Amino acid sequence: MDTHTTVEDLLRSPALQLRVVAGERGLGRSVSWAHVSELDDPTPWLLGAEVIMTTGIGVPRAAAAQRAYLERLDDAGVAALALSAGLHVPPLRRAFLDAAEERGFPVLEVPLAVPFIAIAQEVAAAVQEDARQRLGAQLQVFGALRWLASEGLDTAGLFQRLERLSGYAIHLSTPQGRPLLPGVPAPPPGVRLPASADAPPTIPGGFALPVPAPGGPAGWLVAFERQGARPAGLAVVQHIATVAALRLAMVRSRRETLRRQGAETLAELLQDVLDPETARRRLALMGLLPDIEVVLLVARDAEDDAVVGALGEHPHLMLRRHRDLYVLTPASVITGDAGTGAAPRGEDGGAGAGEAGAALREIPGIAAGVSRPLPPGSSLRVAQREALWAASRAAESGRPLVTYGEDTTGRWLPDDVGVLAALVEHVLGDALRYDTAHGSDLVASVRTWMERDRRVDDAARALHVHPNTLAYRLRRFGALTGRDLSATGDFAEVWLAIRAASQLGGL
């Protein structure tokens, strides 16, 4: 595409004697070629920035069809429509002229005495003058792979250089419109991406091309002409799309390597087989620096890709264990807290969500639990138990994300697993064994009744039993455990024992 010649330049040529019929606001549009077409839809054969010249044979007569004809041309990036005066042009309808004004799409009238070839020659001469500049830009852009190898450019630096050389503002996006590569912005809101990789490459103001990848396009490269620049044309933009595909493959390969290394490190941390210094050194290599506290997240029933998408570019280690996905990441990423203590309180009693925390909550069907913050390299033995407990609470309550410590009862319970297990056995042991032997739900029924503030009718509805059945279970539990649930001391002891059992994963 060439910026030296515009529609306005053609109007200024005394030899062409062109007159503006409508769309004067678009006279600054670039012109790359002038082409005669009598088709009602020439867009499949266009590259963009053409002046379409017609005697009017292909121009529809009906108002709605005329407007659709103009909109097709504009959507394909056509620079202007030139109509020959006095031949086959039907009466131009108000809908047609209004559409030209709304879109700033120039409609020109060509005197009968001016042959179309004169317009084509004018455009061709301007294109020839600029050919040397375009060839130089192409050769430099084709050297992009050499820059990657010799200069070690990061992604942002690479595409900034490509923008300067090509004359386009470059955007990269996933098919959903999110940034495809770090450091390169997605297209502005409102830009409609092509429906398929086979769509014409031209869009108003530039090009939209697929970024190739195995199995189908990884996303889209959108290139808009930069004001005052000299865009180098479609061939250069196509090569930039290839560079983007290669860069994406490199980034994905590096991410996959880091993911495998991170999974191995996280597995060793969960097994508590790394000494703190080795653990801190490995974590620092993966972006988890020693001065930033981390949390352990357990995401249950969530796809790996969905969680990776929520974490974005934030550093993390990830390990899949059956239905649970373990993630170690900075505390601030999930909770919005810098990791200097307990997570801040937020809506519904939960921790104030950070950027990734908010995105995790949007994953359908997820039940995720987060540990308390801890220094990188610390043992994950306690954090693992906390995250698993919080994930279980999330699954039980239907909430997508629960942070350990949201239950104020937890502050009265020790971290020592042996002490917790002894409390559960001392208070609930006989009732738990009774439930196992008889297939009953005495402990679960008591917990549900307590969670609903001892409202029998509400708890019975939640358990799908008659209130009398629940009342019997409460009495039976009291008899087995020797605790009177109407006494404050016994009630508190049972409640703490139930919380301890949940913390151990037993309920």
Side-chain angles (χ1 to χ4, degrees), residues 40-287:
D40 62 351
D41 184 12
T43 57
W45 293 273
L46 302 179
L47 292 178
E50 298 91 350
V51 172
I52 295 298
M53 303 177 290
T54 177
T55 63
I57 294 175
V59 179
R61 303 189 67 85
Q66 280 191 5
R67 183 182 182 103
Y69 171 77
L70 183 142
E71 290 175 343
R72 282 197 299 274
L73 296 180
D74 188 37
D75 289 344
V78 170
L81 176 65
L83 303 169
S84 181
L87 287 179
H88 306 292
V89 179
L92 299 179
R93 306 296 184 181
R94 175 51 54 189
F96 175 88
L97 298 174
D98 287 347
E101 294 294 344
E102 291 166 9
R103 289 172 168 249
F105 180 81
V107 177
L108 312 177
E109 183 181 76
V110 185
L112 191 58
V114 177
F116 285 164
I117 190 65
I119 300 174
Q121 288 175 339
E122 187 87 10
V123 174
V127 170
Q128 187 175 15
E129 290 176 9
D130 199 48
R132 182 174 299 178
Q133 178 271 332
R134 294 178 60 178
L135 178 60
Q138 289 179 13
L139 292 175
Q140 291 186 69
V141 170
F142 290 165
L145 298 182
R146 185 176 68 252
W147 308 335
L148 281 175
S150 63
E151 300 182 33
L153 289 178
D154 62 11
T155 301
L158 170 65
F159 281 89
Q160 286 168 7
R161 185 178 295 186
L162 290 171
E163 284 188 329
R164 290 195 301 271
L165 290 172
S166 68
Y168 294 94
I170 303 298
H171 304 268
L172 290 170
S173 79
T174 65
Q176 296 75 33
R178 296 191 297 270
L180 182 63
L181 281 173
V184 183
V191 174
R192 287 194 303 174
L193 298 174
S196 73
D198 298 324
T202 54
I203 60 174
F207 300 109
L209 297 173
V211 177
W220 296 93
L221 182 146
V222 179
F224 291 116
E225 295 180 19
R226 290 192 291 114
Q227 188 172 8
R230 304 175 71 180
L234 177 60
V236 166
V237 178
Q238 288 173 327
H239 190 70
I240 293 175
T242 302
V243 172
L246 293 172
R247 186 62 173 169
L248 181 64
M250 293 167 63
V251 169
R252 286 181 169 175
S253 176
R254 181 174 180 273
R255 283 177 180 169
E256 186 58 35
T257 299
L258 289 175
R259 185 178 299 181
R260 288 196 300 269
Q261 293 173 349
E264 294 170 3
T265 296
L266 184 52
E268 292 176 305
L269 288 171
L270 291 172
Q271 295 166 15
D272 217 5
V273 297
L274 289 180
D275 64 89
E277 184 56 37
T278 300
R280 282 192 291 270
R281 187 169 59 252
R282 287 203 201 171
L283 293 177
L285 290 174
M286 297 179 189

Side-chain angles (χ1 to χ4, degrees), residues 315-337:
H316 61 270
L317 278 63
M318 184 174 292
L319 174 68
R320 166 67 67 178
R321 283 185 172 177
H322 307 296
R323 62 183 295 202
D324 290 339
L325 186 65
Y326 289 76
V327 180
L328 191 69
T329 193
S332 59
V333 169
I334 304 296
T335 66
D337 181 53

